[in-house]
Coordinates of all heavy atoms in Angstrom, one line a residue:
M1 N -27.5 -35.6 -20.7 CA -27.7 -34.9 -22.0 C -28.6 -33.7 -21.8 O -28.4 -32.7 -22.5 CB -28.3 -35.9 -22.9 CG -28.3 -35.4 -24.3 SD -26.7 -35.1 -25.0 CE -26.9 -35.1 -26.7
E2 N -29.5 -33.8 -20.9 CA -30.4 -32.6 -20.7 C -29.7 -31.4 -20.1 O -30.1 -30.3 -20.3 CB -31.6 -33.1 -19.9 CG -32.6 -34.0 -20.7 CD -33.8 -34.4 -19.8 OE1 -33.9 -34.0 -18.7 OE2 -34.6 -35.1 -20.4
V9 N -29.5 -23.7 -24.0 CA -30.7 -22.8 -23.9 C -30.3 -21.5 -23.3 O -30.7 -20.4 -23.7 CB -31.9 -23.5 -23.3 CG1 -33.0 -22.5 -22.9 CG2 -32.4 -24.6 -24.1
L19 N -28.1 -9.4 -28.4 CA -28.3 -8.9 -29.7 C -29.5 -8.0 -29.9 O -29.5 -7.0 -30.6 CB -28.3 -10.0 -30.7 CG -27.0 -10.7 -31.0 CD1 -27.3 -12.0 -31.9 CD2 -26.0 -9.8 -31.7
M20 N -30.6 -8.3 -29.1 CA -31.8 -7.5 -29.2 C -31.6 -6.1 -28.6 O -32.3 -5.2 -28.9 CB -33.0 -8.2 -28.6 CG -33.5 -9.2 -29.5 SD -35.1 -9.9 -29.0 CE -34.7 -10.8 -27.5
S22 N -29.1 -4.2 -29.1 CA -28.2 -3.4 -30.0 C -29.0 -2.3 -30.7 O -30.3 -2.3 -30.7 CB -27.6 -4.3 -31.1 OG -26.9 -3.6 -32.0
L30 N -31.3 -10.8 -35.7 CA -30.6 -12.0 -35.4 C -30.9 -12.4 -33.9 O -31.0 -13.6 -33.6 CB -29.1 -11.9 -35.6 CG -28.7 -11.8 -37.1 CD1 -27.3 -11.5 -37.2 CD2 -29.1 -13.1 -37.8
V39 N -36.3 -20.8 -27.4 CA -37.6 -21.3 -26.9 C -37.9 -22.6 -27.5 O -38.4 -23.5 -26.8 CB -38.7 -20.2 -27.3 CG1 -40.1 -20.8 -27.1 CG2 -38.5 -18.9 -26.5
I43 N -38.5 -26.1 -25.2 CA -39.7 -27.0 -25.4 C -39.2 -28.4 -25.7 O -39.8 -29.3 -25.1 CB -40.7 -26.4 -26.4 CG1 -41.3 -25.1 -26.0 CG2 -41.8 -27.5 -26.7 CD1 -42.1 -24.4 -27.1
V53 N -38.6 -46.3 -28.7 CA -39.3 -46.8 -29.9 C -40.3 -45.7 -30.3 O -40.8 -44.9 -29.5 CB -40.1 -48.1 -29.6 CG1 -39.1 -49.2 -29.3 CG2 -41.0 -48.0 -28.5
P54 N -40.7 -45.7 -31.6 CA -41.7 -44.7 -32.0 C -43.1 -44.9 -31.3 O -43.4 -46.0 -30.9 CB -41.8 -44.9 -33.5 CG -41.2 -46.2 -33.8 CD -40.3 -46.5 -32.7
I57 N -48.8 -47.9 -31.4 CA -49.5 -48.9 -30.5 C -49.8 -50.2 -31.3 O -50.3 -50.1 -32.4 CB -50.8 -48.3 -29.9 CG1 -50.5 -47.1 -29.1 CG2 -51.5 -49.4 -29.1 CD1 -51.7 -46.4 -28.6
T66 N -44.3 -50.6 -24.0 CA -43.0 -50.1 -23.4 C -43.0 -48.5 -23.5 O -44.0 -47.9 -24.0 CB -41.8 -50.6 -24.2 OG1 -41.9 -50.2 -25.6 CG2 -41.8 -52.1 -24.2
S84 N -41.6 -19.2 -37.2 CA -40.5 -18.3 -36.9 C -39.7 -18.0 -38.2 O -39.2 -16.9 -38.4 CB -39.6 -18.8 -35.8 OG -39.0 -20.0 -36.2
F90 N -40.2 -12.1 -43.2 CA -40.9 -10.8 -43.3 C -40.2 -9.7 -42.7 O -40.1 -8.6 -43.3 CB -42.3 -11.0 -42.6 CG -43.1 -9.7 -42.5 CD1 -43.6 -9.1 -43.6 CD2 -43.2 -9.1 -41.3 CE1 -44.3 -8.0 -43.5 CE2 -43.9 -7.9 -41.2 CZ -44.5 -7.4 -42.3
Y99 N -34.1 0.2 -44.9 CA -32.8 0.6 -45.2 C -32.7 1.3 -46.5 O -32.0 2.3 -46.7 CB -31.8 -0.6 -45.2 CG -30.4 -0.2 -45.6 CD1 -29.6 0.4 -44.7 CD2 -29.9 -0.6 -46.8 CE1 -28.3 0.8 -45.0 CE2 -28.7 -0.2 -47.2 CZ -27.8 0.4 -46.3 OH -26.6 0.8 -46.7
D108 N -31.3 4.9 -34.1 CA -31.3 6.3 -33.8 C -31.4 7.1 -35.0 O -32.0 8.2 -35.0 CB -30.0 6.7 -33.0 CG -30.1 6.2 -31.6 OD1 -31.2 5.9 -31.1 OD2 -29.0 6.1 -31.0
A113 N -39.5 10.6 -38.2 CA -40.8 11.2 -37.9 C -40.7 12.2 -36.7 O -41.6 13.0 -36.5 CB -41.8 10.1 -37.5
L120 N -39.5 19.0 -25.8 CA -40.2 17.8 -25.4 C -41.7 18.0 -25.5 O -42.2 19.1 -25.3 CB -39.8 17.5 -23.9 CG -38.3 17.1 -23.7 CD1 -38.0 17.0 -22.2 CD2 -38.0 15.8 -24.4

Side-chain angles (χ1 to χ4, degrees):
M1 190 65 163
E2 289 179 0
V9 165
L19 287 172
M20 283 192 287
S22 176
L30 290 176
V39 170
I43 294 171
V53 296
I57 300 174
T66 60
S84 65
F90 172 72
Y99 176 75
D108 287 339
L120 293 174

